[in-house]
Amino acid sequence: MSWDDLASIEPRFHYAGERSRYIAFPLGGIGSGGLSISGSGRLVDWSIRNRPALQGYNGYSHFAIKAEKDGTLLDARVLNGPYDLNPSGAPGLRRMFDGFGHGANRQTLAGVPHFKSVDFYGRFPTADLVFSDPHFPGDVRLTALSPFIPHNDRDSSMPVAMFEFEIVNPTADALTYTLAGTLGNYGSNSGRHTFSQADGIASLQLTSTDSELPETQRGDLTIATDAEDVDHTDHHYRGQWFDDLAVYWKEFARPGRLPTRHYDQPRTSRHMSLQPEHGTLGARVSVPAGGRRTVRFVISWSFPKGDIYWAFRNKPDGVIPDKATPSWTNYYATQWGDSTASATDALQRWDSLADATTGFRDGLFGTTLPAEVKDASSATLALLRTATVIRLENGALWAWEGQHTNDGSCEGSCTHVWNYQQALAHLFPAIERTLRETELTYNMLPTGGLTFRQKLPLGSSFDIIGPCVDGHFGAIIKTFRDWKLSGDTEWLRRYWPQVKRAIEYAWSAENPDRWDPGETGILSGRQHQTLDMELFEPNSWLGSMYVAALLATAEMAEAMGDVALAEKAARLGKAGADYIDTELFNGRWFIQKIDLGDKSVLTPFDVGRNAGVLADGFMETYWSDEFSELKYQMGEGCISDQILGLWHAEVAGLGQFLDKAKVATALRSVHRNNFKPSLEAHFNPGRNYAYEDEAGLLIATYPEGIRQPMVAAPYAEEVWTGIEYMSASHMIMNGLVDEGMDVVRAARNRHDGSRRNPWNDIECGSYYARSMSAWQLVNAFSGLQADFVAGTLSFDPKSSCDYRLFWSAGQSWGELSLLGGQLTLSVKAGALQLSSLTVAGNTQSFAQPLRLAAGQSFQFGAL
């Protein structure tokens, strides 16, 4: 059986055989946590209880199907494909009976009849799986999704996973199929399982019988369906060993209905394999010969209170003290009363939620963008469905950098990591603005410095490391960007006092890092940054961030009526830009200007404070007596981030402030020196995110004739996708399309399913936030610039042929197309109001604002 819509999908997004081995496709809401579906159809990574739980299972939760004819069982199988983990063992619950050395993990149901093959079609935010087996009389297609609807942050935060199964009967006889969903009561040895039917929806809610659970452990899960004919096994048999699974399968793999088993009393013994209790809903459907039927299921969860389990540890890898910790309340818990409420809502509004979600998918994947760009920009959005992000009670986003297996990686919406992502600002700008609001409200020190890790509960304390340069100035640039994208000057006015204090901190006498005490526009002093150490002296990387922040401040100050600051910031910004252009350009790229042998550079900062993330003293950290040079500096190396601030400025709409020819030369140098078509000969003492015959963009290189520090900046030899996508998009924005695509293609070839999970870009942990810089690739190809303060929208498409491009900004998203000389701007969702529209230098101004609602378009006419 083939499905026409799947047959037409670009080959890159069809994963089969070895290309499905490492797939884990996240499902869930923004900030709700969730689960994933593997390339073989298994339900994995159940991170639903307010912390990561990667490489794990919720018991043996699964879907299964059986076929009957005239009271005879024809076949029964779990809707999984072949086992695709280590045959010697996978992560398990008990060292004595699970894990490496104990064979294929039984939670994967490797020992239960399953389908011979699965074809996986992944186009975030949906996944389609086609199951086939010569022994099963039928074909099954699963479409898995969770609502992901740009500019609709409430519905996109639903804690639900939606599964639509299409069953095709290819035989010459009518058959009865039972499609059943089994759900583990995650973390509950003794479950209270409640079946209910109302308004055409059957649901089985699972919660714990333990009345003594702490508030942060309380919650419930639900599996629900809107099928007309439903069986329910509220509890699986309570036994030991493998009794629950053994009895369940004997009862399922026989003709007839599923048994109704319900226990009113709590379980009196602990399951010896530490499995949770399980329950099953089964939907029975009759399918005529050659016919097809659809069955829908929803899995939902509600664990309202999260434990700030990391609150009292003294460092990221420190021991978590055994003491009571504070908590937070999930945003989703303020919108849906429990898991049954969200499951019911999802089923009742299935069509509208699914249509809006697939509308976004088709809008992006239906463009003429290169397949690798569609892949990178969409796949990296998946981390928003994982435990990397949290939405607090008021809807504000709080985030980790990424995830370790069972806890978060590097807390606090780290600004020098989250600086890079551009997805939320364009797809969910209301959520993005909460990052500015909480940062400016709770992260600002009395001196005006912005610490770069946010503590929970909000306002409870400051991070022990002070402001970092890239994060501090990034906050100012992003405030400017978010103001322009929203068009909300009153929003800017509310936070303007903090923004003003933040820029003034650069030259404040209270700034112990002495960034610009002489008010020159030139950044120097001690500069903490995303490589987790300090740079010293002027450099283009961080200096360009300062310049961009100054220029953003100048424009915001003018809008706020602060003429003096507007003039000062503009003057300093120009001076800084001129200095970078003239003093930090070596003819091929922009550099750090420092004498590595000058120990006196460090002296002003040797004040007894430990160095950055290290516990060592400052001078011993940054000075090497053995080599007589400073450590952890970039020097004259060619770094991929060398003009990061200019990228931010161009993204935000500030334009270019460096010499255009020098910028193009520098970006070409990054490609020529830092992009490696093969890493087989590359030495990397750090973390190996790319290696051997893989291609990648290095953080820093020292071409022949350039002095390399003996002890270079940490991570200099590594490959980070977040920087790859940023650099690639900057190249494309400046006309270097082929160079940029080399970088994007390399990153996505490493995430092809056979090497790594396409939906999990790693750095310091899984589902790493920096990778969402990939969204700027979409904007780079369209040349999108949006200023809703002025009511202007402009595009500079990187194509001379016909094209279809995706855009999203303000309160809407849509398509820009040039087909047969006809240029059309379409709004697919939301509403758009413009005073002028520019495409490729051609401007159309409107005497009265142009207003477009969803489904409407504007045609430029022939070009």
Side-chain angles (χ1 to χ4, degrees):
M1 173 66 192
S2 64
W3 279 265
D4 290 343
D5 62 319
L6 299 181
S8 64
I9 289 175
E10 293 169 273
R12 172 171 288 272
F13 308 113
H14 176 198
Y15 303 86
E18 279 299 303
R19 286 197 65 219
S20 67
R21 177 170 295 276
Y22 294 111
I23 283 176
F25 184 92
L27 298 166
I30 297 175
S32 78
L35 62 143
S36 293
I37 186 165
S38 78
S40 58
R42 293 179 171 87
L43 304 180
V44 299
D45 298 347
W46 286 74
S47 305
I48 62 175
R49 297 190 68 153
N50 300 313
R51 66 187 301 169
L54 303 180
Q55 295 186 298
Y57 297 83
N58 176 14
Y60 48 82
S61 299
H62 68 279
F63 289 97
I65 190 169
K66 66 179 178 179
E68 304 170 52
K69 178 188 173 186
D70 299 331
T72 299
L73 179 73
L74 302 181
D75 196 34
R77 296 180 181 272
V78 293
L79 282 158
N80 292 168
Y83 184 75
D84 50 8
L85 299 175
N86 190 329
S88 294
L93 295 175
R94 298 207 305 174
R95 289 180 298 170
M96 291 295 292
F97 299 101
D98 291 314
F100 188 74
H102 290 277
N105 191 322
R106 56 180 169 268
Q107 291 185 91
T108 68
L109 303 182
V112 182
H114 48 263
F115 283 77
K116 186 175 183 63
S117 67
V118 180
D119 286 283
F120 192 107
Y121 299 83
R123 297 168 297 163
F124 185 88
T126 73
D128 291 274
L129 291 79
V130 176
F131 299 87
S132 58
D133 191 287
H135 299 95
F136 188 78
D139 298 291
V140 184
R141 171 181 175 174
L142 162 62
T143 299
L145 63 92
S146 296
F148 194 91
I149 307 167
H151 307 287
N152 180 347
D153 62 272
R154 179 187 184 272
D155 287 343
S156 300
S157 297
M158 293 181 76
V160 299
M162 301 162 66
F163 303 89
E164 182 173 85
F165 298 89
E166 187 175 11
I167 306 168
V168 178
N169 176 7
T171 74
D173 302 297
L175 300 180
T176 297
Y177 296 90
T178 299
L179 202 152
T182 292
L183 180 62
N185 192 345
Y186 188 37
S188 178
N189 176 70
S190 176
R192 179 179 296 110
H193 298 179
T194 306
F195 175 77
S196 61
Q197 278 186 302
D199 301 321
I201 294 174
S203 62
L204 182 62
Q205 186 187 70
L206 283 56
T207 189
S208 175
T209 62
D210 187 348
S211 60
E212 303 300 318
L213 285 174
E215 191 174 32
T216 54
Q217 294 298 314
R218 297 178 198 163
D220 50 80
L221 304 84
T222 292
I223 184 167
T225 180
D226 58 1
E228 293 181 0
D229 188 0
V230 177
D231 292 341
H232 60 102
T233 302
D234 298 352
H235 290 82
H236 286 196
Y237 175 72
R238 282 178 174 169
Q240 293 295 349
W241 296 103
F242 332 120
D243 305 352
D244 48 359
L245 178 57
V247 172
Y248 155 72
W249 191 251
K250 289 176 182 177
E251 293 175 339
F252 181 79
R254 66 188 184 190
R257 308 191 74 96
L258 305 185
T260 300
R261 179 183 294 106
H262 182 87
Y263 297 122
D264 288 321
Q265 298 302 315
R267 184 184 176 104
T268 57
S269 63
R270 186 160 194 84
H271 192 288
M272 64 183 295
S273 294
L274 304 182
Q275 295 280 15
E277 293 231 74
H278 295 79
T280 298
L281 281 187
R284 290 175 63 85
V285 292
S286 295
V287 184
R292 61 183 64 199
R293 293 289 184 270
T294 297
V295 177
R296 294 170 170 175
F297 280 91
V298 170
I299 293 175
S300 59
W301 53 94
S302 180
F303 293 89
K305 293 284 187 179
D307 178 19
I308 308 175
Y309 56 87
W310 62 93
F312 301 124
R313 64 185 180 191
N314 58 6
K315 55 181 180 177
D317 60 348
V319 175
I320 297 175
D322 184 15
K323 58 189 290 189
T325 49
S327 63
W328 84 87
T329 298
N330 275 307
Y331 166 77
Y332 71 72
T334 71
Q335 304 297 307
W336 294 276
D338 59 13
S339 60
T340 302
S342 55
T344 300
D345 189 21
L347 283 164
Q348 289 177 335
R349 294 195 293 137
W350 186 293
D351 289 343
S352 63
L353 294 171
D355 287 351
T357 299
T358 57
F360 164 63
R361 179 200 68 192
D362 294 345
L364 179 60
F365 283 84
T367 66
T368 54
L369 289 167
E372 296 88 351
V373 169
K374 300 175 191 178
D375 187 15
S377 60
S378 65
T380 51
L381 297 174
L383 71 86
L384 294 171
R385 288 176 166 174
T386 74
T388 293
V389 298
I390 292 167
R391 284 196 79 183
L392 304 175
E393 184 173 9
N394 63 356
L397 193 81
W398 186 96
W400 301 92
E401 293 181 24
Q403 299 170 58
H404 302 310
T405 306
N406 296 115
D407 62 354
S409 170
C410 303
E411 69 180 276
S413 310
C414 176
T415 56
H416 61 49
V417 170
W418 279 82
N419 255 356
Y420 288 77
Q421 74 85 17
Q422 298 295 335
L424 285 173
H426 291 89
L427 297 174
F428 297 98
I431 295 180
E432 176 68 30
R433 288 195 299 274
T434 69
L435 288 168
R436 304 291 84 70
E437 294 161 3
T438 54
E439 178 180 14
L440 293 169
T441 301
Y442 300 109
N443 278 22
M444 181 166 278
L445 298 167
T447 58
L450 289 166
T451 61
F452 64 96
R453 295 193 186 278
Q454 193 168 91
K455 295 293 187 179
L456 288 183
L458 292 175
S460 58
S461 62
F462 292 114
D463 188 69
I464 58 173
I465 302 178
C468 66
V469 169
D470 41 2
H472 182 95
F473 292 126
I476 298 171
I477 303 166
K478 291 182 292 185
T479 300
F480 174 87
R481 178 201 62 193
D482 296 345
W483 167 50
K484 290 292 187 174
L485 285 174
S486 69
D488 189 348
T489 299
E490 288 308 306
W491 176 80
L492 174 62
R493 195 179 307 280
R494 284 198 300 277
Y495 296 97
W496 173 245
Q498 293 97 313
V499 175
K500 181 176 180 179
R501 290 182 64 206
I503 197 64
E504 290 172 341
Y505 180 76
W507 53 78
S508 169
E510 295 185 87
N511 182 342
D513 295 318
R514 306 183 187 186
W515 289 344
D516 185 15
E519 302 182 18
T520 62
I522 300 160
L523 188 67
S524 57
R526 175 174 54 192
Q527 303 153 58
H528 193 67
Q529 33 70 22
T530 196
L531 299 185
D532 292 332
M533 299 299 283
E534 278 80 12
L535 287 191
F536 300 89
E537 301 292 86
N539 63 90
S540 63
W541 168 25
L542 302 173
S544 64
M545 293 293 293
Y546 180 33
V547 169
L550 285 165
L551 298 178
T553 298
E555 192 167 335
M556 289 186 286
E558 184 175 357
M560 295 294 99
D562 192 333
V563 177
L565 181 58
E567 184 279 330
K568 180 176 182 177
R571 173 171 48 83
L572 295 184
K574 183 179 185 305
D578 290 345
Y579 184 89
I580 294 172
D581 257 340
T582 59
E583 299 297 323
L584 301 182
F585 188 72
N586 70 1
R588 291 180 288 172
W589 60 81
F590 295 92
I591 64 168
Q592 177 189 15
K593 188 175 183 180
I594 189 170
D595 179 356
L596 294 174
D598 184 3
K599 186 177 182 179
S600 69
V601 167
L602 302 174
T603 304
F605 307 104
D606 186 19
V607 293
R609 193 176 86 175
N610 286 342
V613 298
L614 303 182
D616 296 332
F618 177 80
M619 195 62 77
E620 64 185 290
T621 295
Y622 286 102
W623 178 257
S624 170
D625 284 328
E626 182 175 350
F627 301 119
S628 297
E629 73 174 27
L630 279 78
K631 298 191 293 184
Y632 309 128
Q633 305 304 293
M634 287 298 188
E636 294 185 46
C638 180
I639 70 171
S640 295
D641 261 347
Q642 63 186 259
I643 45 176
L644 178 65
L646 184 63
W647 177 73
H648 276 288
E650 292 181 60
V651 170
L654 287 162
Q656 285 206 347
F657 54 75
L658 298 177
D659 181 273
K660 190 173 181 65
K662 292 178 179 177
V663 168
T665 298
L667 292 174
R668 285 193 185 94
S669 293
V670 169
H671 178 266
R672 182 180 304 114
N673 297 307
N674 294 24
F675 177 70
K676 303 298 180 184
S678 171
L679 293 165
E680 288 177 304
H682 173 62
F683 168 72
N684 175 17
R687 300 165 300 183
N688 295 292
Y689 301 131
Y691 50 82
E692 296 176 353
D693 64 342
E694 296 176 331
L697 186 77
L698 303 178
I699 288 176
T701 59
Y702 294 84
E704 186 175 355
I706 299 298
R707 177 184 177 184
Q708 180 175 4
M710 185 58 73
V711 183
Y715 322 131
E717 297 88 355
E718 295 180 2
V719 172
W720 296 355
T721 61
I723 288 180
E724 287 183 297
Y725 300 139
M726 180 281 297
S727 297
S729 68
H730 205 188
M731 293 173 193
I732 294 165
M733 290 157 68
N734 284 273
L736 305 177
V737 176
D738 291 341
E739 291 86 344
M741 285 307 303
D742 280 346
V743 178
V744 179
R745 194 173 297 113
R748 295 322 297 170
N749 285 347
R750 299 196 308 267
H751 291 81
D752 70 343
S754 70
R755 292 176 179 258
R756 295 168 186 80
N757 181 8
W759 293 277
N760 180 6
D761 281 34
I762 62 174
E763 192 186 306
C764 186
S766 290
Y767 301 106
Y768 200 79
R770 198 191 315 263
S771 67
M772 285 193 293
S773 61
W775 187 257
Q776 185 55 26
L777 294 165
V778 175
N779 296 339
F781 270 94
S782 70
L784 172 74
Q785 291 286 300
D787 179 355
F788 291 109
V789 176
T792 63
L793 187 63
S794 66
F795 300 92
D796 182 20
K798 301 301 183 286
S799 175
S800 57
C801 306
D802 282 1
Y803 56 74
R804 300 167 68 95
L805 299 171
F806 182 95
W807 63 268
S808 181
Q811 299 177 7
S812 58
W813 68 266
E815 179 183 274
L816 178 73
S817 65
L818 178 62
L819 301 173
Q822 179 64 62
L823 183 63
T824 305
L825 177 76
S826 302
V827 174
K828 301 296 185 181
L832 181 66
Q833 180 173 311
L834 298 175
S835 59
S836 74
L837 175 64
T838 300
V839 181
N842 298 288
T843 300
Q844 176 76 56
S845 298
F846 307 104
Q848 298 296 324
L850 172 68
R851 294 182 174 87
L852 297 176
Q856 295 181 325
S857 60
F858 173 79
Q859 293 186 338
F860 258 75
L863 292 181

